[in-house]
Amino acid sequence: MAAPAPEECLDVLTAAGDKTGVSKPRSEVHRDGDYHRAVHVWIYCESTGELLLQRRADCKDSWPGQWDISSAGHISAGDSSLSSARRELQEELGIKLPVDAFELIFVFLQECVINNGTYTNNEYNDVYLVTTLTPIPLEAFTLQESEVSAVRYMHRDEYKSCLAAESGEYVPYDVNGQYGQLFSIIEERYKDNTESRSLTLQKQISRYAPIHLEPELTTLSEGDKEALGYILKASMVIDEIFYEQVWNSNTMLRDWLRAHADSSSLDSLKWAYYSINKSPWSCLDENKAFLSTADSAVKLLTDATKPISGWKGLEYRAAFPLDKPRGANFYPADMNKMEFDLWKSGLTDKEQKDATGFFTVIKRPDALLTTSVVESDGPNQTNTSDDLFIVPYSKEYKASLEKAAELLIKASDCSDCPSLKNLLRTKANAFLSNDYYESDIAWMELDSNIDVTIGPYETYEDGLFSYKATFEAFVGVRDDVATSQDLEKNLPLDNIYKSDNVSAAPIRVMNLLYNSGDVKGPQTIAFNLPNDERIVNERGTSMVMLKNISEAKFKNILKPIANACIREEQKEYVDFEPYYTHIVCHECCHGIGPHSITLPGGKKSTVRMELQECHSALEEAKADIVGLWALNFLINKGLLPKSLSKSMYVSFLAGCFRSIRFGLEEAHGKGQALQFNWLYDKGAFILHSDGKFSIDFTKVEEAVESLGREIMTIQAKGDKPAAQSLLQSRATLTQPLRVALEKIEHMQVPVDIAPIFGTASKLLANN
């Protein structure tokens, strides 16, 4: 006789849902009332409005013989939520679905005692929804007899009524409590609201003012013009990579929306707003989803169940979460910070560096079943456990990077500018090797009429740790301006925290011709790179200013904001020169202040590594406020005209309202709210009875310096709790900010611009 199978073990959780590091047999978990995790998987048919129910087997130790969720089960110790959902559906019902069929809609905590007090269920349930177009034929199911005795479809309203009536035929769920979300989400998703959705999308789109960008190419040689065509094509490839980085099914959703854009006026609006955000989450609305799985792509699976004569197969909607994944597509969708940190602690120093590096993704082995990108045991893949493992960008995005590299090599061959040829060649090599050091040096040394920034740089999309860099491209025509000032030694910061080896940022000014990749939503007006701490310490950084973008934002956004929010007597101070000069100082100040730091115990680290998800917002606030301090410093040194001494502060105040409109989920918006509230609380910003604002010039200088000192001291100490406290207390939408934002909304001032690349389009059409 075969030995009985060992009892399933479950991870024991705290009452808050965190892993304790202890696992126990399932029977003991329910005996002792331990908190643990499980999955609920609901199959919903959108054409009939029905949910699939299963009748629990009579032998079950909980709710035997009652109708329940389509499929459910515990998450075994060490297993992941998503793989558990897939496994339970296949084991109980014989349905095999890919990961993109499962939409996590909410987490439900069930706390109850049944079976005369012998069975305690303290269970965190990850509730998934699988949306099919038509019902799955009942004969297609293969039922696991020990778990399921029957299945049937039931209209969601009828099922909800049965639960509300507490019918004994059904496993009880409180539809007026947490579990009511299942019904409210579906109801909201499928109600007939085409007109209201269209109006909402029109309003969201109108927040972006279309701007035509057509810089002249008269300064370019014939060789560089030919090279430019290849650079633009490479930039389009970069766009493909970014779509993939945002979310695992983003490219499929994009292609579906584009293909159906002409189906109706609503479909056209969906595509237009998706194109601005490059995802189904709205950048200007705290990343709230403006689409749902009901708008998503339809996929057909012919082998999801056993074959049924006359049935073409299972058609489902490719799902996406209502909440934007904090880890984007850099980490498994169901991985949290605690799991990552626990896994990382078991790695070697080299592996830890790779795990937290800019240019790697973290995967689970079950990802191998759903993607052809990763090959097991390849030379560039670090397998460190049976769970998470590391894959370099050069392998994860291999096909796209090889294509981009080939185009950059062709561009290099065409160009007659030595520094541009070197940049394009080294960047092509970096795409294939995953080592960007040499190409970043070449970027800093670029001296060409074509200005190119292409590759993985910013880490804003990684909301878990700010470790992983997204791909982007900025291509423009150089407008030669250069300046630098040594500000480091005069920073409002204790001397022990100042850097002796930080170089000032050389400045390159260009008129933007084309951008791609991580340029969704609000448009960048300047950037300061690279982010590689080795290069920052050795050579400093370089700054690129996008002059035509800055001019467009000032004219279309900042001036109207000033008219709405600044008192008449100070309105004259809002001018392009101080606005633009502060942008320069902002980018310069990214390159100074704390970067590589020494922790109290003597350990060497970086600000980014210690502050993690707090880093981006605090760094943007630092660059802003220290940039304002730097302007005053340069004016006092006689290096900038005295005429800027008042206009820089008033222009900055108007700029606060501009950036906060990006939303407090975005690093710049969050950093700007922190600055506004600090300066307001110090009396430097004044709200008057007419709802307009002014500067108290007697208080603003000291307030600016005190905030700069506060932020940089937190950075220098690598003090994440202090960073969290500062952001939680100050980076909020306070009443004075609400007053300003309501005025701006009433005036219908655009929030940002949407560039239309006329010159680039003509070039691409001719190539």
Side-chain angles (χ1 to χ4, degrees):
M1 179 188 253
E7 186 178 4
E8 178 185 27
C9 285
L10 309 179
D11 286 319
V12 176
L13 309 180
T14 66
D18 296 321
K19 286 185 179 181
T20 62
V22 175
S23 63
K24 293 167 61 174
R26 176 180 176 276
S27 60
E28 293 181 18
V29 165
H30 286 289
R31 179 197 68 193
D32 300 338
D34 294 316
Y35 287 85
H36 58 283
R37 293 179 72 202
V39 292
H40 290 185
V41 182
W42 286 99
I43 295 178
Y44 176 73
C45 173
E46 66 176 20
S47 63
T48 63
E50 294 176 317
L51 289 163
L52 180 76
L53 304 183
Q54 67 156 266
R55 188 173 183 273
R56 297 171 66 83
D58 292 333
C59 61
K60 296 291 290 180
D61 53 9
S62 59
W63 298 286
Q66 292 179 291
W67 290 97
D68 198 6
I69 306 152
S70 308
S71 175
H74 291 99
I75 300 176
S76 301
D79 206 352
S80 71
S81 172
L82 190 54
S83 62
S84 298
R86 296 178 68 200
R87 182 190 66 244
E88 292 295 335
L89 197 62
Q90 185 170 2
E91 289 180 355
E92 293 187 353
L93 304 182
I95 301 176
K96 185 177 181 180
L97 294 177
V99 294
D100 67 0
F102 295 81
E103 176 187 359
L104 179 63
I105 52 176
F106 62 92
V107 178
F108 165 63
L109 174 58
Q110 186 176 38
E111 296 172 299
C112 64
V113 179
I114 59 174
N115 297 353
N116 298 317
T118 62
Y119 189 99
T120 302
N121 197 43
N122 292 325
E123 193 168 78
Y124 279 92
N125 297 286
D126 293 344
V127 182
Y128 290 92
L129 188 67
V130 172
T131 302
T132 66
L133 266 63
T134 57
I136 302 169
L138 296 185
E139 59 269 29
F141 295 101
T142 302
L143 305 185
Q144 185 180 16
E145 293 182 3
S146 61
E147 299 285 336
V148 184
S149 61
V151 292
R152 65 163 169 158
Y153 277 101
M154 189 174 190
H155 195 275
R156 64 176 190 263
D157 293 337
E158 183 184 357
Y159 176 54
K160 182 180 179 181
S161 296
C162 291
L163 291 178
E166 299 182 0
S167 169
E169 291 185 60
Y170 302 90
V171 175
Y173 296 102
D174 183 5
V175 295
N176 296 314
Q178 282 182 301
Y179 222 84
Q181 294 176 83
L182 171 68
F183 302 97
S184 61
I185 288 170
I186 294 174
E187 287 163 9
E188 177 64 27
R189 187 169 290 182
Y190 289 97
K191 68 182 181 183
D192 185 13
N193 59 351
T194 300
E195 184 176 351
S196 64
R197 285 194 70 190
S198 296
L199 290 172
T200 298
L201 284 168
Q202 286 170 355
K203 186 177 180 180
Q204 289 174 312
I205 292 167
S206 70
R207 294 178 295 182
Y208 291 89
I211 301 295
H212 292 268
L213 299 182
E214 298 187 346
E216 295 292 331
L217 305 180
T218 53
T219 60
L220 304 188
S221 67
E222 289 304 312
D224 279 355
K225 284 182 182 178
E226 189 175 356
L228 183 57
Y230 288 115
I231 294 169
L232 292 175
K233 289 178 181 178
S235 300
M236 294 173 73
V237 177
I238 293 302
D239 216 33
E240 292 295 312
I241 299 175
F242 175 69
Y243 276 104
E244 187 177 344
Q245 290 184 304
V246 173
W247 162 60
N248 59 7
S249 296
N250 200 29
T251 302
M252 179 174 56
L253 176 62
R254 178 202 62 189
D255 294 345
W256 173 268
L257 292 172
R258 180 166 52 197
H260 291 79
D262 295 332
S263 300
S264 69
S265 58
L266 177 58
D267 288 317
S268 177
L269 291 169
K270 290 177 191 176
W271 169 240
Y273 198 51
Y274 176 91
S275 299
I276 290 172
N277 292 278
K278 296 192 172 185
S279 82
W281 301 284
S282 175
C283 298
L284 296 181
D285 298 296
E286 314 292 339
N287 286 322
K288 181 181 178 182
F290 59 92
L291 301 174
S292 75
T293 296
D295 302 302
S296 191
V298 174
K299 297 179 70 175
L300 172 65
L301 293 177
T302 57
D303 58 354
T305 68
K306 62 185 178 185
I308 299 297
S309 177
W311 183 53
K312 65 179 178 180
L314 191 154
E315 287 184 291
Y316 71 94
R317 294 276 186 187
F320 63 85
L322 293 174
D323 295 326
K324 187 175 186 290
R326 290 185 64 202
N329 199 22
F330 301 122
Y331 311 93
D334 56 355
M335 186 205 81
N336 59 29
K337 295 183 71 170
M338 180 178 289
E339 180 186 1
F340 179 88
D341 288 337
L342 185 64
W343 165 72
K344 189 185 74 169
S345 67
L347 305 182
T348 65
D349 289 347
K350 164 81 167 55
E351 289 167 346
Q352 287 193 22
K353 186 176 180 181
D354 289 341
T356 59
F358 288 122
F359 314 127
T360 61
V361 296
I362 309 301
K363 287 182 169 288
R364 294 193 193 280
D366 59 13
L368 298 172
L369 303 176
T370 56
T371 176
S372 60
V373 175
V374 182
E375 300 168 7
S376 61
D377 301 323
N380 297 317
Q381 178 177 304
T382 307
N383 286 288
T384 56
S385 74
D386 292 332
D387 196 5
L388 303 177
F389 63 93
I390 305 163
V391 181
Y393 281 5
S394 55
K395 193 176 189 69
E396 179 73 0
Y397 313 118
K398 182 179 179 181
S400 293
L401 288 174
E402 286 178 345
K403 185 177 179 181
E406 182 182 351
L407 289 164
L408 292 184
I409 291 295
K410 290 180 178 179
S412 176
D413 292 341
C414 294
S415 175
D416 46 26
C417 173
S419 65
L420 180 60
K421 291 171 77 73
N422 185 47
L423 169 64
L424 299 172
R425 187 172 56 255
T426 56
K427 190 64 70 175
N429 292 338
F431 286 168
L432 304 181
S433 69
N434 219 48
D435 183 351
Y436 286 85
Y437 183 87
E438 185 181 357
S439 68
D440 281 344
I441 296 294
W443 179 82
M444 294 185 72
E445 295 174 346
L446 181 63
D447 184 15
S448 164
N449 285 327
I450 299 177
D451 204 294
V452 182
T453 301
I454 187 168
Y457 286 106
E458 304 294 359
T459 61
Y460 303 124
E461 203 69 19
D462 180 357
L464 278 179
F465 298 105
S466 288
Y467 290 158
K468 306 304 177 186
T470 47
F471 280 83
E472 62 187 21
F474 292 87
V475 183
V477 180
R478 193 80 161 265
D479 184 350
D480 286 320
V481 175
T483 185
S484 67
Q485 297 292 341
D486 185 10
L487 300 171
E488 179 77 22
K489 63 186 178 185
N490 294 291
L491 284 173
L493 180 67
D494 292 347
N495 288 331
I496 60 169
Y497 297 132
K498 293 179 183 177
S499 302
D500 297 325
N501 55 351
V502 172
S503 303
I507 301 171
R508 307 202 302 252
V509 179
M510 73 168 175
N511 287 306
L512 184 66
L513 179 72
Y514 185 78
N515 65 17
S516 66
D518 192 359
V519 292
K520 60 185 174 59
Q523 292 294 300
T524 298
I525 53 180
F527 49 86
N528 193 69
L529 296 171
N531 289 322
D532 188 323
E533 303 291 351
R534 297 171 299 172
I535 299 176
V536 173
N537 290 329
E538 293 166 7
R539 306 181 60 142
T541 56
S542 288
M543 179 196 318
V544 176
M545 310 288 299
L546 310 183
K547 188 176 181 182
N548 52 350
I549 298 295
S550 298
E551 290 171 338
K553 292 200 180 199
F554 182 82
K555 176 184 175 183
N556 291 276
I557 301 168
L558 200 70
K559 284 294 284 184
I561 285 176
N563 289 333
C565 297
I566 305 299
R567 291 208 96 182
E568 197 65 39
E569 64 269 21
Q570 292 190 0
K571 203 178 293 183
E572 63 181 305
Y573 291 125
V574 179
D575 189 62
F576 181 73
E577 183 181 359
Y579 162 76
Y580 190 67
T581 308
H582 178 253
I583 295 171
V584 174
C585 281
H586 170 105
E587 296 302 331
C588 278
C589 290
H590 274 309
I592 62 176
H595 286 275
S596 294
I597 57 176
T598 302
L599 301 178
K603 177 187 172 185
K604 300 291 184 182
S605 187
T606 65
V607 176
R608 183 187 302 275
M609 193 65 63
E610 296 305 315
L611 299 191
Q612 296 182 343
E613 75 276 11
C614 298
H615 172 264
S616 293
L618 213 62
E619 175 60 24
E620 291 303 328
K622 180 211 81 175
D624 252 352
I625 206 70
V626 177
L628 202 56
W629 167 87
L631 279 175
N632 189 58
F633 174 82
L634 296 173
I635 290 169
N636 291 336
K637 289 288 186 180
L639 298 169
L640 287 175
K642 288 280 188 184
S643 60
L644 293 179
S645 60
K646 291 186 176 180
S647 61
M648 67 178 186
Y649 291 122
V650 184
S651 297
F652 176 79
L653 172 57
C656 282
F657 303 134
R658 181 185 72 85
S659 296
I660 289 167
R661 297 176 80 204
F662 297 158
L664 299 190
E665 287 296 311
E666 195 269 346
H668 299 80
K670 186 180 291 186
Q672 201 76 70
L674 160 62
Q675 295 167 81
F676 175 90
N677 290 324
W678 182 284
L679 297 181
Y680 182 84
D681 291 344
K682 298 292 183 182
F685 292 167
I686 303 169
L687 172 60
H688 298 274
S689 58
D690 61 357
K692 294 198 173 186
F693 293 80
S694 67
I695 300 287
D696 186 334
F697 294 112
T698 66
K699 296 180 180 179
V700 69
E701 186 175 330
E702 182 180 344
V704 166
E705 184 166 325
S706 67
L707 179 56
R709 179 183 296 274
E710 178 79 8
I711 291 174
M712 288 189 291
T713 300
I714 289 172
Q715 290 181 319
K717 292 180 177 180
D719 191 346
K720 185 178 178 181
Q724 290 173 319
S725 176
L726 182 63
L727 289 169
Q728 288 168 3
S729 63
R730 304 278 186 167
T732 59
L733 196 59
T734 55
Q735 184 57 29
L737 283 173
R738 292 182 190 277
V739 169
L741 296 181
E742 285 171 7
K743 276 184 168 291
I744 295 166
E745 181 74 14
H746 180 71
M747 298 280 288
Q748 295 186 323
V749 179
V751 177
D752 208 69
I753 62 171
I756 299 169
F757 303 112
T759 300
S761 296
K762 292 172 188 173
L763 270 172
L764 288 168
N766 294 329
N767 277 274

